[in-house]
Amino acid sequence: MAKAKNNYKVKDIRLAAEGRRKIEWAESRMPVMMALREKYKKTKPLKGFRIAGCLHVTKETAVLVETLAAAGADVSWSGCNPLSTNDEVAAALAAKGTSIYAWHGMNVKEFYWAIERTLDFKPNLTLDDGADLIFTIHNKHRKLIPEILGGTEETTTGVHRLRSMADAGELKYPIIAVNDAETKWDFDNVYGTGQSTLDGIMRATSILFAGKNVVVAGYGHCGKGVADRAKGLGANTIVTEVKPTAALKATLEGHEVMTMDQAAKVGDVFITATGVKDVIRDKHFRMMKDGAVVCNTGHYDCEINIPELEKIKKSKRTIRANNEEYIIKKNGRRIYLLAQGRLVNLAAAEGHPSEVMDMSFANQFLSQLRLAELAKKGKRLDTGVHDIPVKQDQDIAALKLRTMRYKIDKLTKEQKEYMDDYSAGT
Ligand code: ADE
């Protein structure tokens, strides 16, 4: 059985001490993960399992990686976005023995090279954020598929694509949709994306949100989080949507709803959170006010059509880190594009706070463990996309509450019976 040999390629291994302090800070905010590490470090239930991971290299991810390793797994890692790797954290992981191939600012060729290196040890489990690892295996390394027991997927975009791959009969091993856990998307997607997106915009621009017209494209869990937080800072929030129920919710939650054609003329800040391409394109750039700030917090960098912006520009310069000023040829107006249209919360800030990643990554860890435990019994989930068990969600929430020192009530036996009693009426 191939073992990962602590091969690595990171920006600079000398950054390890700084990265280690960041990881220790994250550990102090991730009590659920630390409880899982403590619980499984003696029994090592993941011994013999080789996990290839492709997920943003942040201090929180380091806590996940080292928890999987503490539980016995052999782990090899790459980042899932060319701009989201924290180089200090990557160095700290490498220095402590993780095989990792990730650095900030890698190009697309290097990005796929890094993914392929994590396949060198022939993984039997995969862990993804955005499904690029799964796609690489299915497109280029199909020989690995018979050995793979299953995988987990972190994000809405990835789960959506994997479901369509499964519907087309193209998905060849089982996937657990970590994203769809209540303790993931009701917290990470809403409060994590909400806060970290505004954090990224503030770091790249230092603008005042109060009084600005903030346009949020998409009112799923992430868009809702962003719009609510922007409103909390005093912005006038405008939501654009394609789904009638989502648009309706946005209006009842106090946001204006309009089309992007309308919003383009009045917005000061534009944030895409849709999972769809070309949400902001040529005609919208032309309509924007002088000084408009444009950024994306969806998984891929195609929500803002940057090639079209490039075509209509007169000139472009870097105004500060993660902030490019484009001057539009026709009208001389300035548009500020943040983080090259990539996830602004990870490229310009540090991603979601540790406290929410604690629950998301507890779901990752327990889902990997579930796949491994099934394999030990000679079983395997059916090929397809699977939800996490309801009990796992409630157990994680209960543990999180305990670490926060909150207590909640329990149903009495009579209350339980009453709830189930279909003969009870007024
Ligand atoms: N996705 C969003 N925020 C993240 C974080 N802090 N770590 C890993 N993945 C993330």
Side-chain angles (χ1 to χ4, degrees), residues 55-56 58 60-61 129 154 345-346 350-353 357 361:
L55 193 147
H56 306 292
T58 64
E60 292 76 23
T61 300
D129 183 335
E154 172 81 6
N345 60 337
L346 280 141
E350 292 173 59
H352 304 351
M357 296 315 293
F361 286 165

Side-chain angles (χ1 to χ4, degrees), residues 147-168:
E147 280 236 33
I148 298 182
L149 304 160
T152 53
E153 169 53 50
E154 172 81 6
T155 200
T156 316
T157 305
V159 168
H160 189 91
R161 290 189 179 180
L162 291 168
R163 285 196 202 285
S164 94
M165 204 168 159
D167 289 347

Side-chain angles (χ1 to χ4, degrees), residues 8-274:
Y8 62 81
K9 186 163 163 58
V10 297
K11 181 86 101 214
D12 184 351
I13 197 72
R14 289 168 303 182
L15 299 171
E18 196 182 335
R20 183 50 55 190
R21 287 193 296 276
K22 289 186 180 186
I23 296 169
E24 284 167 8
W25 171 253
E27 285 174 348
S28 76
R29 316 273 122 184
M30 299 177 79
V32 175
M33 287 304 289
M34 296 314 280
L36 291 171
R37 189 183 293 181
E38 201 48 40
K39 178 168 178 190
Y40 292 109
K41 74 177 186 203
K42 282 189 209 90
T43 51
K44 303 222 178 298
L46 292 175
K47 198 160 181 354
F49 292 92
R50 300 179 304 283
I51 302 174
C54 178
L55 193 147
H56 306 292
V57 179
T58 64
K59 58 192 185 306
E60 292 76 23
T61 300
V63 176
L64 170 63
V65 169
E66 293 186 342
T67 303
L68 291 166
D74 201 6
V75 182
S76 191
W77 213 262
S78 71
C80 68
N81 183 298
L83 294 187
S84 66
T85 292
N86 182 293
D87 289 321
E88 294 85 34
V89 168
L93 281 171
K96 212 169 161 190
T98 301
S99 293
I100 177 162
Y101 309 89
W103 59 96
H104 185 94
M106 60 201 328
N107 63 34
V108 172
K109 198 163 155 227
E110 291 164 337
F111 176 82
Y112 284 104
W113 172 87
I115 289 181
E116 299 213 18
R117 292 296 63 72
T118 67
L119 300 178
D120 287 343
F121 78 149
K122 302 195 173 20
N124 50 14
L125 291 167
T126 65
L127 189 157
D128 252 283
D129 183 335
D132 280 316
L133 174 60
I134 299 170
F135 298 149
T136 303
I137 291 170
H138 280 71
N139 295 338
K140 281 186 74 184
H141 296 275
R142 292 182 85 85
K143 271 205 235 135
L144 295 175
I145 290 175
E147 280 236 33
I148 298 182
L149 304 160
T152 53
E153 169 53 50
E154 172 81 6
T155 200
T156 316
T157 305
V159 168
H160 189 91
R161 290 189 179 180
L162 291 168
R163 285 196 202 285
S164 94
M165 204 168 159
D167 289 347
E170 294 295 333
L171 182 66
K172 300 299 178 199
Y173 62 85
I175 298 294
I176 299 179
V178 166
N179 178 70
D180 296 358
E182 215 178 319
T183 43
K184 199 278 181 183
W185 77 359
D186 263 0
F187 298 89
D188 167 319
N189 301 26
V190 181
Y191 308 103
T193 309
Q195 180 170 319
S196 63
T197 299
L198 298 194
D199 184 11
I201 298 170
M202 286 180 201
R203 293 192 202 196
T205 64
S206 72
I207 56 164
L208 177 73
F209 272 82
K212 293 274 190 312
N213 293 337
V214 173
V215 180
V216 180
Y219 201 71
H221 285 77
C222 296
K224 173 180 163 45
V226 174
D228 287 353
R229 288 296 171 265
K231 195 167 200 60
L233 284 174
N236 309 310
T237 43
I238 298 166
V239 166
T240 71
E241 249 301 341
V242 291
K243 192 173 168 191
T245 47
L248 200 53
K249 263 188 216 155
T251 65
L252 299 196
E253 283 167 8
H255 308 295
E256 271 222 55
V257 169
M258 48 178 91
T259 64
M260 186 55 85
D261 283 6
Q262 294 171 309
K265 295 182 194 130
V266 294
D268 297 304
V269 180
F270 294 81
I271 307 162
T272 53
T274 66

Side-chain angles (χ1 to χ4, degrees), residues 324-336:
E324 314 280 351
E325 180 189 71
Y326 285 78
I327 311 257
I328 304 302
K329 223 183 297 174
K330 271 255 165 70
N331 56 24
R333 290 182 195 155
R334 292 163 295 181
I335 291 178
Y336 295 93

